[in-house]
Amino acid sequence: MQDFINDALIIETLQRAKDPEKARVREIIEKSRELRGLSPDEVATLLQTEDQELVQEILSTARFIKREIYGNRLVLFAPLYISNYCSNNCLYCGFRIDNRELERRALTMEEIADEVRTLEREGHKRLLMLCGENQARSSLDYFIEAIETAYATTTEKGGEIRRINVEIAPQSVEDFRRLKAARIGTYVLFQETYHHATYREMHPSGPKADFLWRLTAQDRAMQGGIDDVGIGALFGLYDYKYEVLGLIFHAMHLDSTYGVGPHTISVPRLEPALNAPAAITPPHPVSDDEFRKLVAVIRLAVPYTGMILSTREPAALRSEIFDLGISQISAGSRTNPGGYRQGDSDAFRAAQFNLGDTRTLDEVIYDITTHGHIPSFCTACYRLGRVGEDFMDMAKPGLIQKFCRTNAILTFKEYLQDYASDKTKIAGEELIERLLKETRGKKTKQLLETRLKKIEEGEHDLYI
Ligand code: SAM
Ligand code: SF4
């Protein structure tokens, strides 16, 4: 496969867009309100906008687009790290092979089931399963067995995992077929940096040193039948403007080749990690202001692609960034294998990186509820086959709102009923009451009321 990332073209595009005219920036902002996305030149112009008044206009347009397409829902998931053995040497990661101080662990199936039970008892329904890249200690067979174990692990009160997304090293088309058969949801992979020279520097050895094998992983996943793929860049390794354009070129490549762009874009920022030089001193640190701007620009550029924010970011900033276009968030996370059952003790010695937001799922839910967001554990589209191109066709005319809002309310109710603390339950019931009042269609309102009642009577897993 051809390398579709052209460093010189990205640099030239950014160069051309320097010091943009006010009127041109406003024209692009206006165009983005039509929700049809932006070209690389337009994205570069927004990225090169330093005028604070215009930056504020970009931010408020991102808030508008987020509300228009996604409403105020936030889908919640938990990452599940099953092994931290790794043959790669990524200079920013605590799992790198040269980190001799890391306590290495590959969870047994029983330990994985224990982790899953802990997460289910907190109320999680969606997982992102991850591991380091290591043939001997975390092979694909092992990983698939872990997926099967997690799906098969259930707890009282309808506790079950309904969707498992995965984030593992690039696979062959054949192996992606096996992952598809294991009923994974989205295949997520971050390119880390789209800048070839920085990529080489950050990945000195191991299979991950191959830029092109990684860049084309989503292609092979789609060829292997996986409908939804996620992309991402690790912000802090290279110039953030360059990385945003890299993401846009990647999205355009998938869209033009397969008729559907990425399902999600992740925007991780570098966090400190044990014995990881590039994480301790990021080569291109991204400030909070730059981070706000880049999230907003991505929202304007690819309005229908979900955006994921992890617990890497501190709580206060996370709340603010949600409104700029985030549709999925992790909560209550641990990045050390076995971290959920064992709690916080000595976590850093086995963790991939430090977390900025260490609150529990219930605390996060209380917080987002009181800020007017609807927490969602919905997995309906994936289970009803509304994926890939079908999902995008449906999302584009705004149907996402109709289905997703209802399913968010139903899954949130189930959470409140089964797992919430008293304080969260009160805040949550108030929010649901208000949302019911705001529901316009008579039929939708009736359907919601009937199903909410059924959930109160103990039914689970209701969705449309
Ligand atoms: N080992 C696989 C890989 O590298 O793609 C699977 C997932 S790895 C456990 C998940 C992601 O964590 C990496 O793609 C990287 O972007 C991110 N990561 C690694 N070190 C990090 C750090 N110090 N701060 C923030 N994110 C980090
Ligand atoms: Fe291994 Fe992934 Fe960490 Fe790199 S980022 S050292 S591949 S776990």
Side-chain angles (χ1 to χ4, degrees):
M1 272 217 60
Q2 285 249 317
D3 188 342
F4 49 84
I5 294 296
N6 180 338
D7 291 20
L9 176 68
I10 296 183
I11 290 165
E12 208 183 283
T13 309
L14 281 169
Q15 199 62 36
R16 254 199 327 269
K18 261 198 153 166
D19 303 321
E21 302 260 332
K22 262 191 173 187
R24 177 70 190 127
V25 176
R26 291 216 161 99
E27 211 175 272
I28 297 170
I29 295 178
E30 222 24 65
K31 181 183 168 195
S32 73
R33 288 180 164 256
E34 292 164 19
L35 310 179
R36 285 189 286 130
L38 300 175
S39 69
D41 277 318
E42 292 165 338
V43 174
T45 305
L46 296 184
L47 289 167
Q48 294 289 31
T49 303
E50 305 297 345
D51 177 322
Q52 278 319 299
E53 196 187 330
L54 291 174
V55 170
Q56 287 310 318
E57 288 174 33
I58 295 173
L59 298 188
S60 63
T61 307
R63 288 187 201 102
F64 161 80
I65 295 176
K66 151 89 186 175
R67 267 197 315 275
E68 271 306 286
I69 298 180
Y70 303 89
N72 45 3
R73 286 171 311 108
L74 280 173
V75 171
L76 289 141
F77 70 92
L80 177 57
Y81 285 76
I82 60 167
S83 160
N84 60 9
Y85 284 94
C86 194
S87 337
N88 290 313
N89 210 356
C90 313
L91 296 188
Y92 44 82
C93 180
F95 291 178
R96 62 200 284 260
I97 193 167
D98 277 0
N99 182 5
R100 313 264 175 238
E101 283 181 89
L102 188 84
E103 283 163 18
R104 304 278 168 180
R105 287 191 74 183
L107 300 184
T108 63
M109 291 307 139
E110 199 31 60
E111 286 168 332
I112 290 168
D114 275 345
E115 289 286 271
V116 172
R117 277 189 281 269
T118 307
L119 288 167
E120 286 176 355
R121 287 184 178 129
E122 283 167 20
H124 280 290
K125 305 283 185 230
R126 301 171 64 110
L127 297 185
L128 174 67
M129 200 183 273
L130 318 91
C131 67
E133 181 169 9
N134 185 291
Q135 269 309 325
R137 307 305 286 259
S138 33
S139 67
L140 189 63
D141 287 343
Y142 164 77
F143 195 77
I144 287 176
E145 199 185 341
I147 295 173
E148 286 161 358
T149 303
Y151 273 135
T153 302
T154 54
T155 43
E156 58 287 338
K157 297 194 264 192
E160 61 182 351
I161 297 304
R162 298 177 185 158
R163 175 174 176 137
I164 302 178
N165 297 334
V166 309
E167 188 174 339
I168 53 165
Q171 307 289 316
S172 64
V173 175
E174 270 323 299
D175 285 342
F176 276 123
R177 281 212 179 90
R178 294 184 59 203
L179 281 168
K180 161 87 180 173
R183 296 185 293 131
I184 69 158
T186 311
Y187 172 67
V188 179
L189 189 73
F190 308 158
Q191 187 60 24
E192 319 296 10
T193 172
Y194 287 93
H195 187 248
H196 290 74
T198 306
Y199 190 93
R200 265 195 303 279
E201 199 186 315
M202 290 295 147
H203 306 100
S205 61
K208 192 163 165 179
D210 187 341
F211 180 94
L212 190 58
W213 177 248
R214 192 166 182 92
L215 184 69
T216 50
Q218 283 84 357
D219 289 85
R220 290 190 301 281
M222 292 187 108
Q223 289 156 14
I226 293 172
D227 302 286
D228 294 333
V229 296
I231 63 175
L234 182 53
F235 286 95
L237 296 179
Y238 190 60
D239 175 22
Y240 80 91
K241 297 178 183 174
Y242 180 99
E243 303 296 10
V244 171
L245 277 183
L247 288 166
I248 298 305
F249 277 109
H250 198 166
M252 281 169 49
H253 161 79
L254 294 172
D255 204 353
S256 64
T257 316
Y258 305 98
V260 52
H263 190 65
T264 54
I265 292 183
S266 298
V267 287
R269 257 199 311 187
L270 271 178
E271 289 293 330
L274 183 67
N275 293 330
I280 293 157
T281 332
H284 291 262
V286 176
S287 71
D288 288 355
D289 280 341
E290 289 168 334
F291 194 57
R292 287 183 190 94
K293 180 167 130 189
L294 79 87
V295 169
V297 171
I298 295 175
R299 187 64 306 144
L300 270 55
V302 281
Y304 288 99
T305 304
M307 232 193 296
I308 304 180
L309 190 72
S310 76
T311 26
R312 289 172 181 85
E313 298 301 332
L317 181 67
R318 258 172 44 114
S319 291
E320 205 190 312
I321 304 276
F322 293 161
D323 292 329
L324 296 174
I326 300 299
S327 49
Q328 289 188 33
I329 61 168
S330 52
S333 308
R334 298 279 177 276
T335 65
N336 52 319
Y340 291 111
R341 252 206 78 193
Q342 100 202 16
D344 261 332
S345 63
D346 210 20
F348 196 51
R349 298 192 67 77
Q352 191 192 18
F353 51 81
N354 248 357
L355 293 170
D357 182 351
T358 51
R359 295 172 302 171
T360 63
L361 176 64
D362 191 73
E363 285 166 339
V364 171
I365 290 200
Y366 176 78
D367 184 39
I368 62 181
T369 303
T370 49
H371 284 87
H373 299 281
I374 321 173
S376 174
F377 293 91
C378 180
T379 51
C381 282
Y382 153 75
R383 289 152 84 207
L384 292 172
R386 294 192 297 243
V387 289
E389 209 172 340
D390 289 348
F391 174 82
M392 284 299 168
D393 286 350
M394 207 188 72
K396 288 192 177 164
L399 277 178
I400 211 173
Q401 275 277 35
K402 188 173 153 219
F403 285 101
C404 303
R405 184 178 183 272
T406 304
N407 288 333
I409 297 173
L410 294 175
T411 53
F412 182 37
K413 176 77 176 179
E414 194 179 324
Y415 171 82
L416 292 176
Q417 193 78 11
D418 293 337
Y419 305 104
S421 64
D422 291 345
K423 181 173 145 190
T424 304
K425 203 163 176 197
I426 294 168
E429 293 294 353
E430 272 172 21
L431 176 65
I432 292 183
E433 197 60 34
R434 202 170 71 234
L435 293 168
L436 260 180
K437 279 197 190 121
E438 286 166 10
T439 306
R440 274 186 238 120
K442 204 174 156 199
K443 266 195 179 161
T444 314
K445 195 169 181 168
Q446 260 173 5
L447 180 140
L448 257 176
E449 280 168 342
T450 329
R451 301 222 171 169
L452 285 170
K453 190 142 195 307
K454 283 189 179 170
I455 296 171
E456 272 172 18
E457 287 160 6
E459 277 198 45
H460 288 96
D461 204 14
L462 301 180
Y463 55 88
I464 57 168

